[in-house]
Every structure is written in structure tokens, then in C-alpha cells.
Amino acid sequence: MKTAITELLNIKYPIIQGGMAWIADSSLAASVSNAGGLGVLACGGAEPEWVRAEIQKTKALTDQPFGVNVMLLSPFVDGIMEVLCEEKVAVVTTGAGNPGKYIAKLKACGIKVVPVVASVALALRVERAGADAIIAEGLEAGGHIGEITTMALMPQIMDAVKIPVVAAGGIGDGRGIAAAFMLGAEGVQVGTRFLVAHECTVSDNYKKEILKARDSDTVVTGRSTGHPVRVLKNKLSRLILKLEKAGEDPFRINELCTGTLRMAVKDGMTNDGSVMSGQIAGIVHKEQSAKDIIEEMFAEAEQVYAKACKTLGASLDISGCCVEKLGGAK
Ligand code: TUI
């Protein structure tokens, strides 16, 4: 495949793995990169030297490009940026804030910068600051989210910026990829589906909850704190929602959430911990290697595209425009 994103990032498939805090380590990132996508190490709230060690482990596991995600609410952002420049990582993605003031320095180190944005306003700001591409993330995504769906955000961001756009939020199979490309995306970012990759080191309990989840099993906690986060319904998220509804002090809410993602990811505490997940978990039914996930998703996208062309083409009386090229669909 060839898109602006495969060219920019030097990858085979236009798919970026979500930078999931505590979860996206060298094992997952290297497997995704070895499979032809862009694997991404997540810094989360980790210290700069942990990030350096994980980068070095990833370099030992793959000779393909990989990225590092910087969560901008971390107290260690400045130190992490130093490490990223010293280690000359290929790509940096960012989340949960405006990376504007770091972009020029990262680019001067030869690093491609691809911020995650949840609004047109931030998309425009990071483009002006020199971002190479952006990831437009809709509220279907897991973890920290904005307020607009992928379907509504994508076309508005496409109209606003000239740099390539990667779609994120709610993409879990080939249908999602095909839809994202129809909206003008040059690539996709996928998180939730990679949670159940064989190479994903998240606890078995966490994987089981993702495999079990249905469409309406996620909720958004933390709206009162200004940091809304999509998680699976469980004992903790029900308690947080109840307290928020009762007008609990946002600082207390923050306190109750602190450390709970780690508890679910590392210790398998899926009742008392935060099980972050996208709304698309309901189509994630099996554990696979990262390579099988990527290959299956793109093979499916090709089939879906051919079928959509046939349906749309026939209804618009332009049948044959793309179906013949792809060999047709059922
Ligand atoms: O960052 C993410 N997803 C995350 S970060 C994370 S760790 C965390 N845990 C608890 C509370 C907060 C963070 C878990 N999941 N995705 C990218 C993303 N960025 N989604 C939305 C945004 C975003 C939202 C508002 C980016 C910028 C923004 O406003 C910044 C501004 O200045 O306009």
C-alpha cells in the first residue's frame, strides 16, 4: 500500500498502534512495527530513564521504524523530550494536550511529529507549529477523549488542514479502515484491537474483559475533572460516576482514579482498576498476533471497499468504476 502516511513514516501498512499508557511497551510496539505498521511505545506517566530503556529494548527487537507517544499531562515531558532527541526515535505522537512548544525541537532532531488532536482548533495550531501529520481522534476511542465523534471530526479536520490526517477512535476492523479512507484519511490508528494481541503484555484479566465487552459496555468518567476518560463499566467506574453525579470534589475524583490504570493493566484488578477501552471492543472477539491483526484488517478493508463500490456504484449508475479493478465482491 502507498499513502501519504506510509511514505512519511516509511511503513508498509498505513496503521499506527495507539500509544496506550502502561500497555504499549517494547513487546507490542516491536511486533506492530515488524508486521509493517507503526508500533508506538507509550510514555504515560513514566520517568525519562524508563522511556530510554524501553526505546533501547524496542531497537533490539525491530529494525523497522517505531514511534513514541508522549502523554502531555505527564510531569516528565521535558526530560522525555530530551531522551527522544538523544535516542533519535523516528516518530513522536502526542496526546492529552497541545504539543506546540516541543514541535520545532523534535523536528530539529530529525523526528517526525504526529500529534493526536480531538478538535479542528488544535489541528490548525499544530499544523502551524510544523506537525508532519495529525491523528484525528473521535470520542469512540478509549482513554482520554474529546467531545466529537470520528465521523463528524474527520471531514471537518480534512477541510481545515493540508497535512495528512490519520483517523482514530472506533476503528477495529477492515470496515473501519475503509470508512476512514472514505472520510479522507491517509491512515488509521488502532488501540483497542491491539489490546488482545498475543504480544500485548496487559494482564489476562484485562484481555478477558475486552473480549467480553459489548457495544454499550463503556462509560466516560472524569468529566467533572476536565479529563474525560473512556473505560469499561465496572465497580470503580460505577462508583466514580455516582460520586460525580452527587457533585463530589473533582480533586477527590482525581485521587480515586490515580494509579487505577496500572492496577488493571499490571495486576489484573479489573473491578477496582480502570479498564480503558474504545467503544469498538464489541467486535474484538479473538486473540491474534499483531501481524495477523494487521493483515486481516487490510484484507477485509479491500473486500469491504469492493462491496461498497459495487453498492454505491450501482446506485449512482457508475458501476464498474472500482469493482473491476479489485476483482469484484460478493
Ligand atoms: O491522550 C489520549 N488518550 C489517553 S492519555 C491517557 S493517560 C490519562 N489518564 C487519565 C487522565 C488523563 C490522561 C489515557 N488515554 N488520546 C489523545 C487525545 N488527546 N484525546 C484527546 C486529546 C486531547 C484533548 C484535549 C488533546 C488536547 C486537548 O486540549 C488541548 C488544548 O490545549 O486544546
Side-chain angles (χ1 to χ4, degrees), residues 102-225:
Y102 302 105
I103 293 179
K105 186 181 172 208
L106 289 169
K107 293 202 68 177
C109 297
I111 297 172
K112 304 271 174 20
V113 185
V114 187
V116 177
V117 304
S119 68
V120 169
L122 188 57
L124 285 168
R125 258 183 261 147
V126 300
E127 180 179 55
R128 232 175 286 131
D132 295 283
I134 54 173
I135 300 168
E137 189 184 276
L139 61 74
E140 298 92 323
H144 182 46
I145 53 167
E147 291 179 345
I148 307 170
T149 61
T150 306
M151 182 77 120
L153 185 62
M154 270 301 295
Q156 298 186 68
I157 287 193
M158 291 306 302
D159 284 352
V161 302
K162 293 192 183 67
I163 51 178
V165 179
V166 172
I171 301 170
D173 64 14
R175 291 171 293 188
I177 294 177
F181 278 70
M182 289 293 175
L183 294 171
E186 304 267 358
V188 292
Q189 178 185 267
V190 171
T192 302
R193 176 118 182 226
F194 284 122
L195 285 171
V196 298
H198 292 315
E199 301 92 342
C200 179
T201 58
V202 75
S203 64
D204 282 344
N205 281 355
Y206 202 122
K207 288 189 181 182
K208 275 192 202 128
E209 293 301 322
I210 297 296
L211 292 167
K212 230 171 57 187
R214 302 211 210 173
D215 57 347
S216 53
D217 283 343
T218 70
V219 287
V220 180
T221 59
R223 288 202 197 276
S224 70
T225 69

Side-chain angles (χ1 to χ4, degrees), residues 3-330:
T3 75
I5 288 296
T6 60
E7 298 301 288
L8 176 72
L9 306 179
N10 273 312
I11 53 180
K12 182 173 168 199
Y13 294 104
I15 182 167
I16 300 175
Q17 166 238 310
M20 301 170 283
W22 286 109
I23 296 168
D25 59 7
S26 52
S27 170
L28 182 60
S31 314
V32 170
S33 286
N34 281 331
L38 187 80
V40 174
L41 276 177
C43 299
E47 295 190 14
E49 286 315 309
W50 179 90
V51 174
R52 190 193 302 280
E54 214 54 33
I55 290 171
Q56 290 173 355
K57 276 193 224 169
T58 313
K59 283 178 180 169
L61 293 169
T62 184
D63 56 3
Q64 297 300 303
F66 65 91
V68 177
N69 176 267
V70 182
M71 203 277 286
L72 294 165
L73 293 170
S74 162
F76 304 113
V77 173
D78 289 339
I80 287 171
M81 293 296 180
E82 296 287 327
V83 167
L84 302 181
C85 277
E86 285 163 19
E87 294 293 328
K88 298 202 183 318
V89 298
V91 184
V92 166
T93 67
T94 61
N98 179 358
K101 66 175 178 181
Y102 302 105
I103 293 179
K105 186 181 172 208
L106 289 169
K107 293 202 68 177
C109 297
I111 297 172
K112 304 271 174 20
V113 185
V114 187
V116 177
V117 304
S119 68
V120 169
L122 188 57
L124 285 168
R125 258 183 261 147
V126 300
E127 180 179 55
R128 232 175 286 131
D132 295 283
I134 54 173
I135 300 168
E137 189 184 276
L139 61 74
E140 298 92 323
H144 182 46
I145 53 167
E147 291 179 345
I148 307 170
T149 61
T150 306
M151 182 77 120
L153 185 62
M154 270 301 295
Q156 298 186 68
I157 287 193
M158 291 306 302
D159 284 352
V161 302
K162 293 192 183 67
I163 51 178
V165 179
V166 172
I171 301 170
D173 64 14
R175 291 171 293 188
I177 294 177
F181 278 70
M182 289 293 175
L183 294 171
E186 304 267 358
V188 292
Q189 178 185 267
V190 171
T192 302
R193 176 118 182 226
F194 284 122
L195 285 171
V196 298
H198 292 315
E199 301 92 342
C200 179
T201 58
V202 75
S203 64
D204 282 344
N205 281 355
Y206 202 122
K207 288 189 181 182
K208 275 192 202 128
E209 293 301 322
I210 297 296
L211 292 167
K212 230 171 57 187
R214 302 211 210 173
D215 57 347
S216 53
D217 283 343
T218 70
V219 287
V220 180
T221 59
R223 288 202 197 276
S224 70
T225 69
H227 298 129
V229 171
R230 185 177 300 286
V231 292
L232 288 185
K233 286 178 185 165
N234 67 1
K235 190 174 147 211
L236 176 67
S237 55
R238 270 188 274 267
L239 170 69
I240 301 294
L241 285 181
K242 199 172 104 191
L243 292 173
E244 289 192 287
K245 209 169 159 192
E248 181 62 85
D249 181 352
F251 288 99
R252 176 80 187 121
I253 298 289
N254 252 339
E255 223 172 59
L256 282 171
C257 293
T258 302
T260 55
L261 175 60
R262 187 193 181 286
M263 284 160 58
V265 171
K266 299 288 180 196
D267 307 327
M269 296 173 68
T270 49
N271 294 318
D272 296 316
S274 289
V275 185
M276 293 187 183
S277 167
Q279 288 184 317
I280 202 68
I283 62 159
V284 178
H285 299 306
K286 57 181 190 284
E287 292 184 51
Q288 289 169 290
S289 66
K291 184 169 190 285
D292 286 351
I293 290 173
I294 292 173
E295 288 175 1
E296 189 177 294
M297 284 182 75
F298 280 95
E300 191 181 15
E302 192 170 321
Q303 289 303 308
V304 169
Y305 176 63
K307 191 170 174 207
C309 276
K310 204 171 162 187
T311 312
L312 188 64
S315 66
L316 296 177
D317 200 20
I318 50 169
S319 55
C321 63
C322 47
V323 179
E324 280 161 22
K325 213 167 110 190
L326 285 161
K330 269 187 254 155

